[in-house]
Amino acid sequence: MRPLPLIGGMLVAQHSRLMTGAHTRSGRDTFLCSANVASSSDDELFMSAALRQAEAAFASGEVPIGAVIVHDGLIVAQAHNRVEELRDASAHAEMLCARTAAADPRWPSWRLSSTTLYCTVEPCPMCLAALHAFRVERLVYGAPNPRLGAIEGALRPQSDFAHPYHTLSVTGGVLADQAGDLMRRFFKQQRQRPGFSAETASASGPPTSAASEAAAGAEPPQTAGPAAEPRRGLVLGLGQSRTVKALRRVLGSPLLRRV
């Protein structure tokens, strides 16, 4: 387990007592709650449950990421990736887990206040935004996701933003080795399947990097030619238009000349 830097809208804390606030945009109906951040042994216990969900995803041919939501020491929802099964790009473990918990009639509302979500891999921006929307109080994840991660990965916010009415406490690196090993085994298996491409592996899961071997399964895809080649074809296509030819004669713009 490792501390993470402070990111706007996300209070990074590990073993402390904190206050979390949520209120309407107008400032009325202010809601405050006190939360005891779980111990490291509790984090590992619940992350193990998330890893079991990830193993279920592995067995069903999905990218092996699992998640559980915990409230007062009890798991209230659990899920794993079901993107391929549902043919739904948003069917990530974190999204499905939050939806399940919020839809439970025993839960007072869609707001998942005083809950902790455990997921085996660093969430993407979509899932992180959903945790804010569902008012999840704390996020604990395992392996980092260098390419698609929204906490410390490449898709993290590039400015010091702050959510207008929600604070999320974040802890990373819990059972990261186990989560990363599961991802590596999955993509190694997938690469051995006929018709599986490096591009598919890259789009489906976090990549290998020197700083974060644990989050990876697929090698970076090899490009077949220069990146500018598709753009060249587009310019050639535009060159067939009478309007473009006329503009070329009148303006003499080098941007419109045949490449």
Side-chain angles (χ1 to χ4, degrees):
M1 187 182 303
R2 62 190 182 284
L4 299 173
L6 178 64
I7 303 173
M10 293 180 288
L11 175 62
V12 178
Q14 287 185 295
H15 309 299
S16 62
R17 199 169 175 83
L18 62 136
M19 297 297 290
T20 302
H23 57 81
T24 62
R25 185 176 295 274
S26 64
R28 295 191 298 270
D29 302 327
T30 301
F31 171 75
L32 291 175
C33 67
S34 174
N36 286 311
V37 178
S39 68
S40 59
S41 59
D42 288 338
D43 284 347
E44 292 180 0
L45 174 66
F46 293 124
M47 186 61 74
S48 295
L51 281 168
R52 288 193 290 273
Q53 287 294 311
E55 289 165 357
F58 189 116
S60 62
E62 300 277 358
V63 175
I65 298 176
V68 300
I69 288 183
V70 175
H71 175 67
D72 285 344
L74 297 175
I75 294 176
V76 297
Q78 53 190 349
H80 58 74
N81 273 8
R82 298 176 63 192
V83 171
E84 302 299 333
E85 175 192 349
L86 301 178
R87 306 183 78 172
D88 179 0
S90 70
H92 291 192
E94 303 95 315
M95 297 283 287
L96 296 177
C97 201
R99 290 171 183 168
T100 300
D104 191 327
R106 296 170 296 179
W107 198 258
S109 79
W110 55 265
R111 293 178 179 84
L112 302 179
S113 304
S114 303
T115 63
T116 299
L117 184 138
Y118 294 82
C119 56
T120 56
V121 173
E122 177 187 355
C124 70
M126 174 184 69
C127 293
L128 182 63
L131 298 186
H132 279 293
F134 279 107
R135 312 294 197 269
V136 172
E137 186 171 279
R138 184 171 179 244
L139 164 67
V140 180
Y141 67 87
N145 187 346
R147 286 185 190 161
L148 302 179
I151 307 295
E152 54 182 319
L155 298 185
R156 67 187 182 276
Q158 298 303 307
S159 62
D160 187 19
F161 83 105
H163 196 280
Y165 47 77
H166 183 251
T167 300
L168 180 66
S169 172
V170 181
T171 301
V174 177
L175 300 186
D177 291 342
Q178 293 90 321
D181 180 66
L182 195 60
M183 294 288 284
R184 284 193 300 272
R185 289 193 289 113
F186 174 79
F187 283 109
K188 180 179 180 180
Q189 183 183 87
Q190 292 296 305
R191 285 196 299 270
Q192 295 171 351
R193 292 174 51 234
F196 184 79
S197 68
E199 182 180 358
T200 303
S202 173
S204 301
T208 305
S209 73
S212 178
E213 181 73 17
E219 297 178 358
Q222 300 297 320
T223 55
E229 190 63 23
R231 188 174 183 84
R232 179 178 184 272
L234 175 63
V235 175
L236 284 172
L238 290 173
Q240 308 308 315
S241 166
R242 294 182 187 178
T243 302
V244 172
K245 289 179 180 178
L247 286 172
R248 186 188 302 123
R249 287 195 300 269
V250 174
L251 301 177
S253 172
L255 296 176
L256 297 175
R257 290 173 186 166
R258 189 185 302 270
V259 179

